């Protein structure tokens, strides 16, 4: 399971920075871009800031076009790259002026936005720039860092998030209400920023944090410092307990070794599809996971949705919860699991159908199977179509558990609506 560092550590090292600048300069990579790679990796290797492709970073530089003219570009994280081991080629260069021009449009679909961003790549074979590219473009600082920090999420995932953010950051933070990442969010953020150009950080409600600066170090320092403030707030405001169910019967029968093969067998044969051909379960359990799954209100806090919108893509909006309490043997577990799975699928299908109706019936449903199963008394099972994906889902589910536990200790967990989650999915 993940190692948790309870305090943000600033890992900037002048000598490491120098080394990475030197080794990149041999490959013709600028100092700015090399330092952008360096601090992106620092962020990406901190599990309390960034998990599996979450978060993104950028730097605004100069480059030469075909005609030898100097142009402004934005190097922004490309899709398919992970901040923890990113290289310069994982930060494709996009023409900045053209990106900013896009924001003069009234409307731009996601597909048009991605296409316009690709059209303005300096190298046509670069990966597709992040969906948050336009937001990076409008922030008038050279370096921009964005994470879905655990501590920030425990705070923004509250009904009174704006009030708490003001309490912690005074008037340093620009607070932006939830809007799905993309064109509309960038347009709204631009409007907010123009009204409040002196802000030192941006908080996206129910989503994450942006910091920025003229140097790689100052933007990174700001991320560590502002997240540390959030961690301190949580530590000194944990006034509630997550009430626990104490007794679990039949622990000798319902071990993970006994139930996992039954779960896997049912999932694999339920409605055979490509996804299920190589289905893999990952099981994990630790103090936090048990505190979460053994909570009296598990059925409430686990059924609200993910802690930040892009987890939906990997974990689905809701985990399945199974209870072993009233069962006597493994055959009864088999029958029970099948019944609960049918209920989960029915619920997922009605979530899909009602949202698809809202959007004019133009969405295609993938499979309806859960990605996460929570088992009180035991722990967390994640599901993937290979081992790597099962692990990633498990890591994200564990992050959700850590964030929601803290959210429940300082207040009451609240996230985006069903329809917002669906739009992301
Ligand atoms: Zn984000």
């Amino acid at each position: 399971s993940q190692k948790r560092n309870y305090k943000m550590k600033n890992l900037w090292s002048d000598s490491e920075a120098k080394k990475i600048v030197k080794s990149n300069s041999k490959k013709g990579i600028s100092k700015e871009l090399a330092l952008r790679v360096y601090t992106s990796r620092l962020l990406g290797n901190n599990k309390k800031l960034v998990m599996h492709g979450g978060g993104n970073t950028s730097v605004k530089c100069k480059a030469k076009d075909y005609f030898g003219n100097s142009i402004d570009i934005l190097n922004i994280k490309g899709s398919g790259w992970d901040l923890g081991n990113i290289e310069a080629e994982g930060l494709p260069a996009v023409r900045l002026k053209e990106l900013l021009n896009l924001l003069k449009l009234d409307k731009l679909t996601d597909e048009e936005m991605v296409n316009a961003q690709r059209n303005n790549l300096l190298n046509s074979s670069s990966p597709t720039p992040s969906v948050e590219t336009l937001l990076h473009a409008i922030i008038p600082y050279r370096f921009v860092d964005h994470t879905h920090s655990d501590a920030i999420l425990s705070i923004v995932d509250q009904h009174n998030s704006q009030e708490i953010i003001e309490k912690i950051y005074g008037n340093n933070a620009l607070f932006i209400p939830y809007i799905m990442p993309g064109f509309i969010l960038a347009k709204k953020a631009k409007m907010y920023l123009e009204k409040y150009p002196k802000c030192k950080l941006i908080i996206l409600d129910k989503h994450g944090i942006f910091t920025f600066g003229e140097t790689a170090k100052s933007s990174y320092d700001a991320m560590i410092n502002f997240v540390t403030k959030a961690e301190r707030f949580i530590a000194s405001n944990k006034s509630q307990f997550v009430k626990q169910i104490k007794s679990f019967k039949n622990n000798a029968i319902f071990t993970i070794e006994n139930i996992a093969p039954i779960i896997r067998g049912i999932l694999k044969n339920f409605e055979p599809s490509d996804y299920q051909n190589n289905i893999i379960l990952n099981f994990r359990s630790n103090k936090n996971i048990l505190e979460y799954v053994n909570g009296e209100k598990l059925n409430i806090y686990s059924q609200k949705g993910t802690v930040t919108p892009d987890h939906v893509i990997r974990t689905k909006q809701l985990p399945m919860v199974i209870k072993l309490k009233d069962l006597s043997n493994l055959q009864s577990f088999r029958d029970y699991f099948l019944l609960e799975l049918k209920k989960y699928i029915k619920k997922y299908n009605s979530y899909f159908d009602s949202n698809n109706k809202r959007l004019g019936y133009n969405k295609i449903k993938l499979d309806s199977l859960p990605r996460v199963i929570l088992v009180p008394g035991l722990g967390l099972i994640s599901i993937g179509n290979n081992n790597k994906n099962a692990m990633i889902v498990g890591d994200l589910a564990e992050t959700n558990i850590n964030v929601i536990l803290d959210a429940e200790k300082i207040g009451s967990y609240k996230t985006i609506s069903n329809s917002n989650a669906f739009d992301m999915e």
Side-chain angles (χ1 to χ4, degrees):
S1 79
Q2 302 160 32
K3 285 219 170 68
R4 300 192 78 204
N5 301 313
Y6 282 88
K7 280 203 185 95
M8 284 288 117
K9 283 194 187 80
N10 191 318
L11 296 177
W12 174 277
S13 143
D14 283 337
S15 63
E16 281 297 312
K18 258 187 205 149
K19 242 192 260 171
I20 198 161
V21 168
K22 201 175 160 194
S23 66
N24 276 281
S25 79
K26 286 177 198 153
K27 294 181 255 172
I29 291 160
S30 70
K31 185 181 170 190
E32 278 90 0
L33 189 52
L35 290 174
R36 178 65 288 175
V37 168
Y38 175 52
T39 56
S40 299
R41 288 182 187 171
L42 291 182
L43 297 174
N45 285 304
N46 184 330
K47 301 279 175 252
K48 290 174 68 73
L49 292 176
V50 169
M51 288 298 288
H52 300 300
N56 40 60
T57 56
S58 68
V59 57
K60 298 176 184 79
C61 299
K62 294 270 184 201
K64 288 250 162 42
D65 69 6
Y66 290 121
F67 310 102
N69 301 317
S70 174
I71 55 167
D72 292 322
I73 54 161
L74 177 77
N75 283 96
I76 170 91
K77 195 191 98 168
S79 71
W81 283 85
D82 207 281
L83 289 182
N85 56 12
I86 202 160
E87 303 280 353
E89 70 250 43
L91 290 150
V94 198
R95 289 164 207 274
L96 183 57
K97 204 174 107 191
E98 281 75 0
L99 289 178
L100 294 173
N101 275 340
L102 286 176
L103 289 157
K104 293 175 187 157
L105 297 169
D106 291 328
K107 263 198 244 162
L108 197 64
T109 66
D110 289 346
E111 291 78 9
E112 288 166 341
M113 181 182 77
V114 169
N115 188 48
Q117 288 174 182
R118 284 209 63 86
N119 275 337
N120 286 297
L121 286 168
L122 255 59
N123 177 345
S124 64
S125 62
S126 290
T128 297
S130 158
V131 68
E132 279 156 341
T133 296
L134 294 176
L135 191 42
H136 283 256
I138 58 148
I139 298 175
Y141 287 86
R142 194 177 299 271
F143 288 84
V144 176
D145 295 17
H146 168 52
T147 72
H148 306 147
S149 140
D150 286 10
I152 296 293
L153 289 176
S154 292
I155 288 163
V156 296
D157 289 342
Q158 299 281 337
H159 71 94
N160 60 338
S161 47
Q162 184 165 12
E163 193 184 303
I164 307 175
I165 290 297
E166 278 167 14
K167 209 185 267 176
I168 301 173
Y169 302 110
N171 50 19
N172 287 326
L174 168 59
F175 179 91
I176 301 181
Y178 181 79
I179 301 166
M180 187 172 81
F183 180 70
I184 305 291
L185 171 59
K187 254 183 105 77
K188 285 267 165 67
K190 183 170 184 282
M191 206 181 72
Y192 277 98
L193 257 175
E194 281 161 2
K195 280 192 201 149
Y196 196 42
K198 283 186 181 155
C199 67
K200 295 198 166 65
L201 70 155
I202 298 173
I203 295 288
L204 300 182
D205 196 25
K206 313 287 181 271
H207 175 160
I209 173 174
F210 278 81
T211 59
F212 28 82
E214 282 308 305
T215 64
K217 184 174 186 302
S218 64
S219 187
Y220 171 74
D221 287 348
M223 181 63 74
I224 301 298
N225 293 340
F226 288 130
V227 171
T228 300
K229 281 185 197 285
E231 287 187 327
R232 288 205 184 119
F233 177 88
I234 293 167
S236 57
N237 284 275
K238 277 186 188 177
S239 54
Q240 296 162 195
F241 295 102
V242 174
K243 271 197 195 150
Q244 301 285 292
I245 298 172
K246 289 270 154 53
S247 63
F248 292 97
K249 288 187 289 183
N250 292 322
N251 279 352
I253 300 173
F254 299 116
T255 60
I256 190 66
E257 291 82 354
N258 283 342
I259 68 166
I262 297 173
I263 293 174
R264 184 169 179 274
I266 291 175
L267 290 174
K268 200 167 152 47
N269 295 312
F270 193 78
E271 44 176 32
S273 69
D274 286 349
Y275 185 79
Q276 284 147 284
N277 282 340
N278 297 301
I279 216 158
I280 295 285
L281 306 187
N282 171 254
F283 173 72
R284 53 184 86 191
S285 192
N286 62 29
K287 191 171 149 272
N288 275 10
I289 292 172
L290 286 173
E291 185 181 3
Y292 185 86
V293 296
N294 295 348
E296 276 180 9
K297 292 184 178 162
L298 175 67
N299 269 332
I300 298 171
Y301 56 68
S302 75
Q303 299 301 304
K304 292 183 176 178
T306 58
V307 297
T308 189
D310 74 17
H311 289 182
V312 173
I313 298 155
R314 294 271 196 185
T315 65
K316 287 218 158 114
Q317 186 207 18
L318 301 178
M320 178 178 173
V321 178
I322 56 174
K323 299 222 160 112
L324 306 171
K325 220 168 64 176
D326 303 319
L327 304 171
S328 53
N329 56 44
L330 291 174
Q331 181 55 46
S332 65
F333 172 76
R334 195 184 188 289
D335 299 340
Y336 164 79
F337 182 76
L338 191 58
L339 198 73
E340 289 300 309
L341 181 65
K342 284 179 183 163
K343 279 190 213 162
Y344 181 93
I345 289 171
K346 196 174 164 198
K347 198 173 163 191
Y348 182 80
N349 288 345
S350 80
Y351 157 83
F352 183 88
D353 293 340
S354 65
N355 282 294
N356 194 26
K357 183 178 172 188
R358 170 175 62 86
L359 298 171
Y361 295 105
N362 61 4
K363 303 294 169 194
I364 295 160
K365 189 164 72 189
L366 303 174
D367 66 279
S368 312
L369 295 179
R371 295 292 184 272
V372 177
I373 302 176
L374 303 172
V375 194
L378 272 187
L380 153 67
I381 296 169
S382 58
I383 300 161
N385 54 355
N386 56 46
N387 189 46
K388 187 181 167 215
N389 287 338
M391 293 293 286
I392 291 173
V393 172
D395 287 348
L396 296 180
E398 213 181 324
T399 294
N400 275 264
I401 283 174
N402 294 333
V403 169
I404 295 172
L405 277 177
D406 275 350
E408 287 286 309
K409 288 172 187 176
I410 62 169
S412 172
Y413 176 61
K414 184 176 189 291
T415 182
I416 57 174
S417 66
N418 262 335
S419 53
N420 280 329
F422 184 82
D423 291 348
M424 193 67 197
E425 188 173 348

